[in-house]
Structures are given as structure tokens and as C-alpha cells.
Amino acid sequence: MGSKKRSSWSKQKAEFAAGLDDFPGMDDIFAREEAHRERASADHEAARRRKACESKNRYASRAEAEENLAWCEHNGKRGLSVYRCPYCDGWHLTSHPWDE
């Protein structure tokens, strides 16, 4: 099992990268992997934003969101709560059971 020290890991990575010279097209494998991770992270964040913000009604104030919450409860929809959105800085309704 390899060492978990960062200096040891960097050394192993450098040795591995040096050995890739014998395999054409593999010299940029770490750069391609890093680009892949960045794209995946950006896609994941975009999906979180769509789900948490863009697919929901946005209210300008907490009072407006609570007014709509009362309307929903009056019409039979229970278990909703109000939260401030970290993406748009507006207010949304959610059925997620937040611990406050």
C-alpha cells in the first residue's frame, strides 16, 4: 500500500508521468482527468442550481413566501416551509424537512 503523504504521492505521480513517455497519447492523462473533473463538477453544480432554485417559484421577500405558504396550507398542501435561496438570494417553498 502506498504512502498517504502528499510529498510521496507527488513523487509517485511524477514517476508515473515520466513513464508515460513510452505510450503515445498518454502524456496529458492528468490534464484530461482534471478537465473531466472540472466539467463534472460544473455539471453537478448546474443541476443543483436547477433543482434548488430555477425550477421553483421565487419570492422577493420572506413575507411574500409565507403568504403563499399560508395559501398552500389553506388549499390542503401541508408540510411546506420557507427558506432563503443561496443561489438567487430570493425565497422559495420546500417540502424538505429542515432542522432549525
PDB file of all heavy atoms in Angstrom, residues 16-32:
ATOM      1  N   PHE A  16       5.220   8.149 -12.398  1.00  0.00           N
ATOM      2  CA  PHE A  16       4.239   7.574 -13.317  1.00  0.00           C
ATOM      3  C   PHE A  16       4.166   8.388 -14.603  1.00  0.00           C
ATOM      4  O   PHE A  16       4.175   7.835 -15.708  1.00  0.00           O
ATOM      5  CB  PHE A  16       2.864   7.520 -12.637  1.00  0.00           C
ATOM      6  CG  PHE A  16       1.790   6.966 -13.515  1.00  0.00           C
ATOM      7  CD1 PHE A  16       1.677   5.595 -13.734  1.00  0.00           C
ATOM      8  CD2 PHE A  16       0.874   7.798 -14.132  1.00  0.00           C
ATOM      9  CE1 PHE A  16       0.685   5.070 -14.545  1.00  0.00           C
ATOM     10  CE2 PHE A  16      -0.121   7.296 -14.935  1.00  0.00           C
ATOM     11  CZ  PHE A  16      -0.218   5.919 -15.149  1.00  0.00           C
ATOM     12  N   ALA A  17       4.104   9.715 -14.466  1.00  0.00           N
ATOM     13  CA  ALA A  17       4.035  10.594 -15.638  1.00  0.00           C
ATOM     14  C   ALA A  17       5.283  10.449 -16.503  1.00  0.00           C
ATOM     15  O   ALA A  17       5.198  10.472 -17.739  1.00  0.00           O
ATOM     16  CB  ALA A  17       3.857  12.039 -15.195  1.00  0.00           C
ATOM     17  N   ALA A  18       6.444  10.283 -15.883  1.00  0.00           N
ATOM     18  CA  ALA A  18       7.684  10.113 -16.642  1.00  0.00           C
ATOM     19  C   ALA A  18       7.652   8.811 -17.433  1.00  0.00           C
ATOM     20  O   ALA A  18       8.171   8.736 -18.547  1.00  0.00           O
ATOM     21  CB  ALA A  18       8.883  10.134 -15.706  1.00  0.00           C
ATOM     22  N   GLY A  19       7.017   7.788 -16.888  1.00  0.00           N
ATOM     23  CA  GLY A  19       6.916   6.505 -17.583  1.00  0.00           C
ATOM     24  C   GLY A  19       5.921   6.515 -18.732  1.00  0.00           C
ATOM     25  O   GLY A  19       5.911   5.600 -19.562  1.00  0.00           O
ATOM     26  N   LEU A  20       5.097   7.545 -18.824  1.00  0.00           N
ATOM     27  CA  LEU A  20       4.097   7.617 -19.896  1.00  0.00           C
ATOM     28  C   LEU A  20       4.688   8.031 -21.235  1.00  0.00           C
ATOM     29  O   LEU A  20       4.003   7.958 -22.253  1.00  0.00           O
ATOM     30  CB  LEU A  20       2.976   8.587 -19.514  1.00  0.00           C
ATOM     31  CG  LEU A  20       2.066   8.136 -18.381  1.00  0.00           C
ATOM     32  CD1 LEU A  20       1.062   9.220 -18.055  1.00  0.00           C
ATOM     33  CD2 LEU A  20       1.351   6.853 -18.749  1.00  0.00           C
ATOM     34  N   ASP A  21       5.951   8.460 -21.222  1.00  0.00           N
ATOM     35  CA  ASP A  21       6.590   8.869 -22.474  1.00  0.00           C
ATOM     36  C   ASP A  21       6.639   7.717 -23.476  1.00  0.00           C
ATOM     37  O   ASP A  21       6.673   7.938 -24.683  1.00  0.00           O
ATOM     38  CB  ASP A  21       8.006   9.382 -22.210  1.00  0.00           C
ATOM     39  CG  ASP A  21       7.992  10.688 -21.420  1.00  0.00           C
ATOM     40  OD1 ASP A  21       6.955  11.381 -21.450  1.00  0.00           O
ATOM     41  OD2 ASP A  21       9.014  11.001 -20.769  1.00  0.00           O
ATOM     42  N   ASP A  22       6.616   6.503 -22.989  1.00  0.00           N
ATOM     43  CA  ASP A  22       6.675   5.324 -23.853  1.00  0.00           C
ATOM     44  C   ASP A  22       5.321   5.028 -24.515  1.00  0.00           C
ATOM     45  O   ASP A  22       5.236   4.191 -25.408  1.00  0.00           O
ATOM     46  CB  ASP A  22       7.115   4.095 -23.053  1.00  0.00           C
ATOM     47  CG  ASP A  22       8.504   4.278 -22.446  1.00  0.00           C
ATOM     48  OD1 ASP A  22       9.297   5.067 -23.010  1.00  0.00           O
ATOM     49  OD2 ASP A  22       8.780   3.640 -21.415  1.00  0.00           O
ATOM     50  N   PHE A  23       4.259   5.696 -24.067  1.00  0.00           N
ATOM     51  CA  PHE A  23       2.911   5.442 -24.589  1.00  0.00           C
ATOM     52  C   PHE A  23       2.355   6.708 -25.235  1.00  0.00           C
ATOM     53  O   PHE A  23       1.953   7.644 -24.551  1.00  0.00           O
ATOM     54  CB  PHE A  23       1.982   4.990 -23.451  1.00  0.00           C
ATOM     55  CG  PHE A  23       2.460   3.761 -22.745  1.00  0.00           C
ATOM     56  CD1 PHE A  23       3.198   3.841 -21.575  1.00  0.00           C
ATOM     57  CD2 PHE A  23       2.180   2.502 -23.271  1.00  0.00           C
ATOM     58  CE1 PHE A  23       3.636   2.707 -20.926  1.00  0.00           C
ATOM     59  CE2 PHE A  23       2.619   1.366 -22.623  1.00  0.00           C
ATOM     60  CZ  PHE A  23       3.351   1.461 -21.450  1.00  0.00           C
ATOM     61  N   PRO A  24       2.311   6.751 -26.569  1.00  0.00           N
ATOM     62  CA  PRO A  24       1.823   7.942 -27.258  1.00  0.00           C
ATOM     63  C   PRO A  24       0.371   8.253 -26.881  1.00  0.00           C
ATOM     64  O   PRO A  24      -0.452   7.371 -26.720  1.00  0.00           O
ATOM     65  CB  PRO A  24       1.906   7.569 -28.739  1.00  0.00           C
ATOM     66  CG  PRO A  24       2.750   6.351 -28.815  1.00  0.00           C
ATOM     67  CD  PRO A  24       2.719   5.705 -27.482  1.00  0.00           C
ATOM     68  N   GLY A  25       0.075   9.544 -26.713  1.00  0.00           N
ATOM     69  CA  GLY A  25      -1.274   9.977 -26.395  1.00  0.00           C
ATOM     70  C   GLY A  25      -1.617   9.926 -24.926  1.00  0.00           C
ATOM     71  O   GLY A  25      -2.705  10.318 -24.525  1.00  0.00           O
ATOM     72  N   MET A  26      -0.708   9.435 -24.105  1.00  0.00           N
ATOM     73  CA  MET A  26      -0.983   9.315 -22.681  1.00  0.00           C
ATOM     74  C   MET A  26      -0.261  10.387 -21.855  1.00  0.00           C
ATOM     75  O   MET A  26      -0.430  10.438 -20.645  1.00  0.00           O
ATOM     76  CB  MET A  26      -0.573   7.930 -22.169  1.00  0.00           C
ATOM     77  CG  MET A  26      -1.347   6.793 -22.763  1.00  0.00           C
ATOM     78  SD  MET A  26      -3.056   6.772 -22.238  1.00  0.00           S
ATOM     79  CE  MET A  26      -2.878   6.150 -20.588  1.00  0.00           C
ATOM     80  N   ASP A  27       0.506  11.250 -22.506  1.00  0.00           N
ATOM     81  CA  ASP A  27       1.307  12.211 -21.769  1.00  0.00           C
ATOM     82  C   ASP A  27       0.472  13.280 -21.074  1.00  0.00           C
ATOM     83  O   ASP A  27       0.906  13.887 -20.112  1.00  0.00           O
ATOM     84  CB  ASP A  27       2.349  12.866 -22.685  1.00  0.00           C
ATOM     85  CG  ASP A  27       1.728  13.488 -23.920  1.00  0.00           C
ATOM     86  OD1 ASP A  27       0.559  13.208 -24.205  1.00  0.00           O
ATOM     87  OD2 ASP A  27       2.429  14.264 -24.595  1.00  0.00           O
ATOM     88  N   ASP A  28      -0.754  13.501 -21.528  1.00  0.00           N
ATOM     89  CA  ASP A  28      -1.600  14.517 -20.907  1.00  0.00           C
ATOM     90  C   ASP A  28      -2.755  13.905 -20.107  1.00  0.00           C
ATOM     91  O   ASP A  28      -3.787  14.527 -19.899  1.00  0.00           O
ATOM     92  CB  ASP A  28      -2.140  15.465 -21.963  1.00  0.00           C
ATOM     93  CG  ASP A  28      -3.069  14.777 -22.946  1.00  0.00           C
ATOM     94  OD1 ASP A  28      -3.042  13.532 -23.039  1.00  0.00           O
ATOM     95  OD2 ASP A  28      -3.844  15.483 -23.605  1.00  0.00           O
ATOM     96  N   ILE A  29      -2.562  12.693 -19.637  1.00  0.00           N
ATOM     97  CA  ILE A  29      -3.634  11.977 -18.951  1.00  0.00           C
ATOM     98  C   ILE A  29      -4.103  12.720 -17.699  1.00  0.00           C
ATOM     99  O   ILE A  29      -5.298  12.777 -17.418  1.00  0.00           O
ATOM    100  CB  ILE A  29      -3.224  10.531 -18.616  1.00  0.00           C
ATOM    101  CG1 ILE A  29      -4.457   9.732 -18.201  1.00  0.00           C
ATOM    102  CG2 ILE A  29      -2.157  10.475 -17.560  1.00  0.00           C
ATOM    103  CD1 ILE A  29      -4.222   8.240 -18.162  1.00  0.00           C
ATOM    104  N   PHE A  30      -3.191  13.334 -16.950  1.00  0.00           N
ATOM    105  CA  PHE A  30      -3.593  14.046 -15.739  1.00  0.00           C
ATOM    106  C   PHE A  30      -4.350  15.327 -16.090  1.00  0.00           C
ATOM    107  O   PHE A  30      -5.314  15.676 -15.411  1.00  0.00           O
ATOM    108  CB  PHE A  30      -2.376  14.346 -14.856  1.00  0.00           C
ATOM    109  CG  PHE A  30      -1.769  13.103 -14.271  1.00  0.00           C
ATOM    110  CD1 PHE A  30      -0.529  12.660 -14.693  1.00  0.00           C
ATOM    111  CD2 PHE A  30      -2.446  12.364 -13.309  1.00  0.00           C
ATOM    112  CE1 PHE A  30       0.036  11.513 -14.158  1.00  0.00           C
ATOM    113  CE2 PHE A  30      -1.896  11.220 -12.765  1.00  0.00           C
ATOM    114  CZ  PHE A  30      -0.649  10.786 -13.195  1.00  0.00           C
ATOM    115  N   ALA A  31      -3.929  16.008 -17.123  1.00  0.00           N
ATOM    116  CA  ALA A  31      -4.631  17.221 -17.549  1.00  0.00           C
ATOM    117  C   ALA A  31      -6.043  16.879 -18.031  1.00  0.00           C
ATOM    118  O   ALA A  31      -7.002  17.593 -17.732  1.00  0.00           O
ATOM    119  CB  ALA A  31      -3.850  17.929 -18.650  1.00  0.00           C
ATOM    120  N   ARG A  32      -6.170  15.770 -18.781  1.00  0.00           N
ATOM    121  CA  ARG A  32      -7.507  15.358 -19.242  1.00  0.00           C
ATOM    122  C   ARG A  32      -8.393  14.960 -18.074  1.00  0.00           C
ATOM    123  O   ARG A  32      -9.583  15.280 -18.053  1.00  0.00           O
ATOM    124  CB  ARG A  32      -7.390  14.206 -20.240  1.00  0.00           C
ATOM    125  CG  ARG A  32      -6.825  14.649 -21.584  1.00  0.00           C
ATOM    126  CD  ARG A  32      -6.860  13.543 -22.580  1.00  0.00           C
ATOM    127  NE  ARG A  32      -5.998  12.453 -22.110  1.00  0.00           N
ATOM    128  CZ  ARG A  32      -5.806  11.310 -22.735  1.00  0.00           C
ATOM    129  NH1 ARG A  32      -6.434  11.056 -23.857  1.00  0.00           N
ATOM    130  NH2 ARG A  32      -4.999  10.395 -22.251  1.00  0.00           N
TER     131      ARG A  32
END
